[in-house]
Amino acid sequence: LSELEALMERMKRLQEDKEDEEASQEEMATRFEKEKKESLLVISGGICAFPYLAVLFTAFDDEIVSTDVSRYIEDPGFGYKDFARRGEDHLPTFRAQDYTWENHGFSLVNRLYSDIGHLLDEKFRMVYNLTYNTMATHEDVDTTTLRRALFNYVHCMYGIRYDDYDYGEVNQLLERSLKVYIKTVTCYPERTTKRMYDSYWRQFKHSEKVHVNLLLMEARMQAELLYALRAITRHLT
């Protein structure tokens, strides 16, 4: 099977398995912990000060570009760091059910800045639901499972867990090269190269892969907002 056909077959099998038997809460929690720990091993190093400036323009050379962003920021050392040290047994987890964007973050950010919550929510929903219902040359394909895996993997890297999501889907749908690309674009965009871009979903259209970038950036932004708004809520209460 080609890469595309294999991915579509896994999506179909996941749907059939979900209809036949659902994993227990304990099993889903175990799968999340496994995925969270593995995400720490994907890549390390780099500065991620302004992801939106870099992510939409992938570097088209084969070497990592050394980008000096220090002139744009007050603290050149500010950037992404893994949420836990490697080798730790009990990694911190942000349970999304305890503080969600829909039920908590949206209303708080609207209080802090009138109507910004509506604009952010519209942006999140538009990018998440954006689809041509295609996968490369295949039409009339429901890509919901794949889009959710991409979005939730970014949140997983930030230690955010959804109790109703089976993280076993992430491992089945996102191959290693794609996970490397996801973490690089999301956390260290100045290190992104054309080789990384070309290494995954080789049969997909560029527009579909650009949509991946948009999903990753919106997922990262929402994760950052959840942490920030939860901290503000705790301060206010």
Side-chain angles (χ1 to χ4, degrees), residues 112-150:
L112 299 174
Y113 192 160
S114 180
D115 292 332
I116 192 65
H118 294 286
L119 296 174
L120 288 170
D121 191 63
E122 182 181 359
K123 185 160 70 82
F124 292 147
R125 291 178 184 275
M126 180 184 67
V127 172
Y128 186 86
N129 295 321
L130 180 64
T131 179
Y132 302 131
N133 293 312
T134 63
M135 287 180 64
T137 57
H138 294 264
E139 298 182 351
D140 298 322
V141 180
D142 184 356
T143 61
T144 304
T145 304
L146 189 56
R147 284 181 279 126
R148 190 178 185 190
L150 290 164

Side-chain angles (χ1 to χ4, degrees), residues 21-231:
E21 182 179 357
E22 291 188 4
S24 66
Q25 284 294 317
E26 182 180 357
E27 178 62 25
M28 289 200 290
T30 300
R31 291 173 182 175
F32 169 76
E33 291 298 325
K34 179 180 178 182
E35 196 63 49
K36 184 171 63 171
K37 290 179 180 178
E38 288 182 353
S39 72
L40 299 177
L41 305 176
V42 171
I43 197 169
S44 62
I47 298 174
C48 184
F50 292 96
Y52 277 92
L53 294 180
V55 71
L56 295 179
F57 301 96
T58 304
F60 282 94
D61 58 348
D62 290 333
E63 302 298 327
I64 293 177
V65 177
S66 178
T67 306
D68 180 17
V69 298
S70 61
R71 61 183 179 276
Y72 300 116
I73 56 179
E74 294 181 0
D75 181 7
F78 181 79
Y80 172 85
K81 292 184 179 179
D82 284 321
F83 60 89
R85 295 180 181 178
R86 298 176 184 178
E88 290 184 355
D89 293 329
H90 302 288
L91 304 181
T93 297
F94 183 137
R95 294 182 71 252
Q97 276 65 21
D98 295 336
Y99 198 94
T100 66
W101 165 253
E102 293 80 6
N103 297 331
H104 305 90
F106 173 81
S107 58
L108 176 59
V109 79
N110 260 347
R111 282 171 51 198
L112 299 174
Y113 192 160
S114 180
D115 292 332
I116 192 65
H118 294 286
L119 296 174
L120 288 170
D121 191 63
E122 182 181 359
K123 185 160 70 82
F124 292 147
R125 291 178 184 275
M126 180 184 67
V127 172
Y128 186 86
N129 295 321
L130 180 64
T131 179
Y132 302 131
N133 293 312
T134 63
M135 287 180 64
T137 57
H138 294 264
E139 298 182 351
D140 298 322
V141 180
D142 184 356
T143 61
T144 304
T145 304
L146 189 56
R147 284 181 279 126
R148 190 178 185 190
L150 290 164
F151 195 92
N152 285 1
Y153 181 62
V154 174
H155 280 203
C156 179
M157 290 194 304
Y158 282 81
I160 299 174
R161 179 197 168 198
Y162 294 88
D163 290 345
D164 61 348
Y165 182 68
D166 183 357
Y167 288 85
E169 295 185 7
V170 170
N171 250 351
Q172 295 190 55
L173 297 177
L174 310 184
E175 70 271 18
R176 180 72 177 182
S177 60
L178 178 52
K179 286 183 176 181
V180 170
Y181 181 79
I182 290 172
K183 190 162 188 180
T184 305
V185 167
T186 306
C187 306
Y188 320 109
E190 74 282 357
R191 292 173 172 252
T192 308
T193 66
K194 187 175 184 297
R195 183 179 298 172
M196 291 181 187
Y197 177 85
D198 290 338
S199 68
Y200 78 96
W201 289 2
R202 296 174 180 84
Q203 295 169 295
F204 281 66
K205 301 173 184 176
H206 288 300
S207 60
E208 293 170 315
K209 298 178 80 167
V210 167
H211 183 207
V212 171
N213 284 10
L214 295 174
L215 268 174
L216 302 184
M217 288 296 95
E218 295 305 322
R220 174 193 162 123
M221 184 177 187
Q222 190 177 108
E224 293 172 332
L225 279 171
L226 285 173
Y227 275 104
L229 294 172
R230 185 182 67 166

